[in-house]
Amino acid sequence: MEAVNYLDVPGARICYEVRGNGPVLVLAGSPMDAPSFAALAELMADEHTVVTLDPRGVSRSTVTDPEQDTTPELRADDVVAILDALGADTADFLGSSGGAVTGLALAERHPGRLRVLVAHEPPLLELLPDAAEQRAATEHIIDTFHREGAGAAMAAFMANAGYDLDQMEMVMGDPEEKSPEDQAREEAEAARFYNHELRGTVSHRPDLRAVAAGAARVVVGIGEESGPLVTHRTSTVLAEQLGVEPAVFPGEHVGFVTHPGDFAQTLRKVLAG
């Protein structure tokens, strides 16, 4: 059973969950919240103290200024604050998607706090040769949100990410009847993502020289089914620039959700080195 905790940090109140015993392992996404990693966390908790969190402005984690952008640097500082609260000098870190960008910022800003960084499919679009086109696509997605709403923006986001129509329908699912409260919450979270998180995450350019020079052993994770996705491209380029061989994880971009058992088995091997 996980213990739910809250921590006040500059500009935010972060909700994080802790389960298990052993060396600290942080599982983080962005904008994915702690429950997104619950199945994987349960499997890893037999050998680790597993920390999952809702990034600032997402789900149970609140922000003081709703207009403040959520950057990888701020999210990295939030993770370090959690480690400090736990009395953990170092930790292993699996970040997926925007959470992988958080992990890279953490390794750069706080050298020595991570033992192993597993950056699973970070959407580092600025590393790509078509970065200018990707930048324009991001602005189109944000503009679509303002013109047509969250549903149309998510369809544009998924299409640019590389999902085909059938995959988009599978991931997005059928529309459900929602209570006014749930609908208002989802609209607020969508507005925060498109207005204050997406641009800062995909435009982040880590100092890879500083990341490589830090104490952490850096592993780049790629889903074995992620070939058509833009995050396969960004992860491949990141691994090349770091001079490391990518680690192949089960599933695609959210393999930790769709294949938690196999994903955990791979993660254990990666952490062991």
Side-chain angles (χ1 to χ4, degrees):
M1 176 67 72
E2 73 278 6
V4 179
N5 305 271
Y6 290 86
L7 179 65
D8 290 323
V9 299
R13 190 170 195 237
I14 306 300
C15 178
Y16 66 98
E17 300 176 355
V18 181
R19 43 166 70 79
N21 292 284
V24 175
L25 168 64
V26 180
L27 307 177
S30 183
M32 298 90 78
D33 57 9
S36 301
F37 292 88
L40 178 61
E42 290 291 342
L43 291 167
M44 299 300 295
D46 57 345
E47 298 177 356
H48 297 84
T49 297
V50 182
V51 178
T52 56
L53 67 147
D54 298 344
R56 59 169 56 210
V58 174
S59 191
R60 298 162 293 181
S61 290
T62 56
V63 291
T64 304
D65 179 7
E67 297 305 311
Q68 182 187 47
D69 289 340
T70 297
T71 65
E73 291 85 358
L74 281 173
R75 299 196 301 266
D77 292 348
D78 293 342
V79 174
V80 169
I82 293 172
L83 295 181
D84 289 344
L86 294 173
D89 292 332
T90 61
D92 292 337
F93 186 100
L94 167 77
S96 187
S97 193
V101 183
T102 302
L104 289 162
L106 199 163
E108 180 181 338
R109 288 169 66 81
H110 303 279
R113 298 307 298 266
L114 297 184
R115 188 185 72 91
V116 182
L117 165 61
V118 184
H120 180 260
E121 301 210 356
L124 297 170
L125 301 184
E126 290 295 321
L127 298 186
L128 298 177
D130 59 338
E133 290 86 347
Q134 292 294 334
R135 220 172 293 135
T138 298
E139 295 306 316
H140 169 71
I141 292 165
I142 295 170
D143 289 344
T144 299
F145 171 73
H146 292 150
R147 290 193 318 268
E148 303 176 42
M154 180 54 68
F157 175 86
M158 297 289 285
N160 188 66
Y163 290 95
D164 62 28
L165 182 60
D166 290 340
Q167 289 173 309
M168 289 168 59
E169 291 176 348
M170 179 180 66
V171 173
M172 297 176 69
D174 296 325
E176 298 177 359
E177 287 291 332
K178 296 182 177 67
S179 68
E181 295 79 8
D182 286 344
Q183 186 168 344
R185 176 181 54 79
E186 290 186 6
E187 288 175 356
E189 290 189 354
R192 178 147 192 88
F193 175 67
Y194 292 111
N195 291 331
H196 299 293
E197 182 172 346
L198 175 60
R199 186 185 289 115
T201 295
V202 301
S203 66
H204 183 69
R205 289 192 67 99
D207 183 342
L208 296 183
R209 203 172 275 184
V211 171
R217 175 167 60 88
V218 182
V219 179
V220 179
I222 301 179
E224 63 182 348
E225 299 172 17
S226 293
L229 303 184
V230 70
T231 48
H232 185 281
R233 295 173 57 208
T234 57
S235 301
T236 300
V237 172
L238 175 63
E240 290 173 350
Q241 294 193 7
L242 287 171
V244 299
E245 189 70 24
V248 178
F249 280 80
E252 36 100 333
H253 193 58
V254 290
F256 55 92
V257 175
T258 59
H259 301 71
D262 292 338
F263 198 100
Q265 187 175 3
T266 301
L267 180 57
R268 289 190 189 97
K269 293 177 181 177
V270 166
L271 294 178

